[in-house]
Amino acid sequence: MKACRREEGAPARELRGHLADAARAPLKVGILGAGAIGSVLADALDRGRAAAELIALADQDRDKAEALAARLASCPPVVGLDELIERTELVVEAASQAAVAELIPKALQRRRDALVLSVGGLLGHDDWFREAHARGCRIYVPSGAIGGLDAARAAAAGRIDAALLTSRKPIAALKGALYVRERGIDLDRLTQETVIFEGDAEQAARAFPATSNVAASVRLALGPQAPLRVRVAAVPGGRENVHELKLAGEFGRLTMIVENVPSKSNPRTSQLAAFSAVAALESLTRSLRVGL
């Protein structure tokens, strides 16, 4: 394992971004998860993409986190979850829905803000949002692997008559999913695009905990009153994670299609989801925020 070499007194790298942000102290960020998204975000922070400092890393696979830390110029320490929360102002979850369940209560107890990538883990936890409000904390959800959440949220200020999210996924992105295993679906026998799931966002989050974050994000953007339906289709020979959102209501009609390139290291993760985490941190540390 490569050892970290920390240089005491080394001058801080100049942070890129809006000039007005230069006077602010860098936001102290900790990342939970050293996988595809956590690695992209850590690399971005290491290059000064936001007015933020990577204070620490954590992962249940400590060796993976140590390997990530060793290749970063900042060489952040690898710590446990409790210490990660203690050290930081903002904790980024890039691990799993199970990690969300452990992280959020602890972060709120310590009055820390959180940026959540495994958005399905937030559904059904309105108590967390109430506690965050009471404690003056923020729980942030980036746009992830889909666009148009700002428009969806704006549309939900009026009446929503219909909302349909269709996610078309390559076979590799669905293999091993709980829903597929429980129903004995043989994905390798499929010869054409096949809808294997239809239900609400909460059901989708339980059925596909590793790949349902778009459905959860749309649900949170629209609110509980919107009649959102979710379809998941398996696409033999497919190479992209494609999400199509259709809304109709008092505002008019909206159709949004995003064709995502999967992460090279994890076919269940779209590259755009990782980039959205970087963009979210940039937005949080800048004076100008677009798309609110």
Side-chain angles (χ1 to χ4, degrees), residues 147-162:
L149 290 184
D150 52 348
R153 191 170 62 250
R159 186 187 69 255
I160 299 292
D161 297 322

Side-chain angles (χ1 to χ4, degrees), residues 103-157:
L103 167 66
I104 295 299
K106 290 184 176 183
L108 294 178
Q109 182 65 33
R110 296 296 304 161
R111 299 182 185 274
R112 300 296 192 261
D113 293 342
L115 177 70
V116 175
L117 275 298
S118 302
V119 189
L122 294 175
L123 296 184
H125 287 286
D126 290 348
D127 55 318
W128 290 346
F129 306 142
R130 290 191 295 269
E131 183 176 354
H133 177 75
R135 292 179 176 273
C137 301
R138 296 290 183 268
I139 298 174
Y140 299 105
V141 175
S143 56
I146 195 170
L149 290 184
D150 52 348
R153 191 170 62 250

Side-chain angles (χ1 to χ4, degrees), residues 15 19-27 51 283-289:
L15 294 172
L19 291 178
D21 301 319
R24 299 179 182 178
L27 181 67
S283 178
L284 287 175
T285 56
R286 287 187 174 180
S287 300
L288 175 64
R289 300 186 185 185

